[in-house]
Amino acid sequence: MTNKQNQRRKRMIYEIGAIIIILLFIVGFSFRGTEDDVMVAVKKQGPPNEIPMMENAPQLKQTMKGSIYATSIIQKEKEVIQQEKNQKIVYLTFDDGPSSDANELLDVLDHYGAKATFFMLAPHIKAYPDVVKRMVKTGYAVGLHGVTHDARQFYHSKKSPLHEMQEDQKVLEKITGVKSTLIRTPYGSVPYMLDSYRKEIELYGFQLWDWDIDSDDWKSNSKAYVSRVINGIKFMDSIGKHPVILLHDRGPTIKYLPILLNWLNKNHYVTKNLEESMDAYSFKCNDRCHPYGS
């Protein structure tokens, strides 16, 4: 079970546990007097001293084992897990923004009811602060892409990726109030993001995201990338994976994006944001990584 599913499971148990305690509290008093008596008692005694926290959920579940409440919790868990399995989910991500066309990009996404995650560069965030605020206000996920987008500078040392992401994080937080830990390194994490570099950013709480499908949208100004993405989604769907798709915040990509979004809607795909509660997906070095310039 994934970290996200565990969190949902815990939250669900917490909510049900809290409801049960409140109901028992009210029912207990209802046998002792009128509704007015109950209100007087509540005012005197206040709410229950302790509502089970999420970390106590397993003990709560064990206590209720065999009861109708336990059965209900287990059934709900199964429904949530099955619902996620049945959903056709894709994660659209856009790098290098925000661009001068970012508002148009948001208009297109809004029109199709699509969600997306934006990995943005600090200088561009400063250049277009209003569109970044719009992203946050309308419920998109915002992440970090560094400062320079220059491989030589970004991968210069173990500390350089960390420093660029920290600077990017400060810029984003100052403008939006969001302290994002979602990051994507320029050109992807292989081959220049050495294991020692990865440990450094993880130490400071950053979550490294790569992708499952590279659209190659930057290679041309045509709609060719759309077919590439659709074929990739079909393959990922066949192996039961919810793909993370790499796109770029640029005019030609935005121009043909409606074709992709229309196909997703017609084929009943759901677009979602990447979240900090998810298990981040990144490429593994597997002896492929090396220092830049070596």
Side-chain angles (χ1 to χ4, degrees), residues 92 105-115 140 254-266 269-271:
L92 303 175
L105 172 54
L106 294 184
D107 289 342
V108 172
L109 291 168
D110 288 347
H111 179 75
Y112 286 91
K115 291 297 183 183
Y140 296 99
I254 299 166
K255 181 179 179 180
Y256 298 107
L257 186 60
I259 302 173
L260 175 60
L261 297 179
N262 187 51
W263 181 86
L264 289 172
N265 285 345
K266 281 187 174 181
Y269 283 90
V270 178
T271 54

Side-chain angles (χ1 to χ4, degrees), residues 129-148:
D130 290 340
V131 75
V132 180
K133 290 177 184 177
R134 179 184 170 187
M135 289 173 185
V136 172
K137 185 177 180 180
T138 50
Y140 296 99
V142 289
L144 315 172
H145 202 40
V147 180
T148 63

Side-chain angles (χ1 to χ4, degrees), residues 92-98 117-121 125 141-146 168 180-185 207-210 244 246 249 274:
L92 303 175
T93 66
F94 293 87
D95 283 13
D96 299 350
T117 302
F118 295 88
F119 290 101
M120 298 177 287
L121 294 160
I125 294 172
V142 289
L144 315 172
H145 202 40
D168 197 7
S180 179
T181 60
L182 306 174
I183 69 170
R184 176 173 287 157
T185 57
Q207 299 164 281
L208 178 61
W209 282 93
D210 283 310
V244 177
L246 170 62
D249 181 349
L274 297 180

Side-chain angles (χ1 to χ4, degrees), residues 167-205:
E167 183 176 343
D168 197 7
Q169 185 184 59
K170 288 176 184 176
V171 170
L172 178 64
E173 185 178 15
K174 183 177 181 180
I175 289 172
T176 67
V178 175
K179 189 174 183 178
S180 179
T181 60
L182 306 174
I183 69 170
R184 176 173 287 157
T185 57
Y187 312 107
S189 64
V190 170
Y192 305 129
M193 196 68 176
L194 305 179
D195 286 334
S196 59
Y197 294 16
R198 294 166 190 257
K199 288 177 183 177
E200 194 71 19
I201 61 168
E202 288 171 4
L203 184 64
Y204 285 83

Side-chain angles (χ1 to χ4, degrees), residues 183-242:
I183 69 170
R184 176 173 287 157
T185 57
Y187 312 107
S189 64
V190 170
Y192 305 129
M193 196 68 176
L194 305 179
D195 286 334
S196 59
Y197 294 16
R198 294 166 190 257
K199 288 177 183 177
E200 194 71 19
I201 61 168
E202 288 171 4
L203 184 64
Y204 285 83
F206 290 109
Q207 299 164 281
L208 178 61
W209 282 93
D210 283 310
W211 54 84
D212 299 293
I213 300 173
D214 186 348
S215 68
D216 280 343
D217 58 334
W218 57 273
K219 288 184 177 179
S220 75
N221 294 333
S222 73
K223 62 181 180 181
Y225 83 87
V226 175
S227 296
R228 179 179 174 86
V229 170
I230 289 174
N231 289 335
I233 291 172
K234 289 178 179 177
F235 172 74
M236 287 290 164
D237 197 27
S238 72
I239 61 174
K241 188 167 184 181
H242 301 152

Side-chain angles (χ1 to χ4, degrees), residues 38-54:
V38 173
M39 293 305 297
V40 169
V42 170
K43 287 178 181 178
K44 286 181 178 179
Q45 296 189 27
N49 290 330
E50 183 178 331
I51 293 178
M53 301 304 289
M54 283 191 288

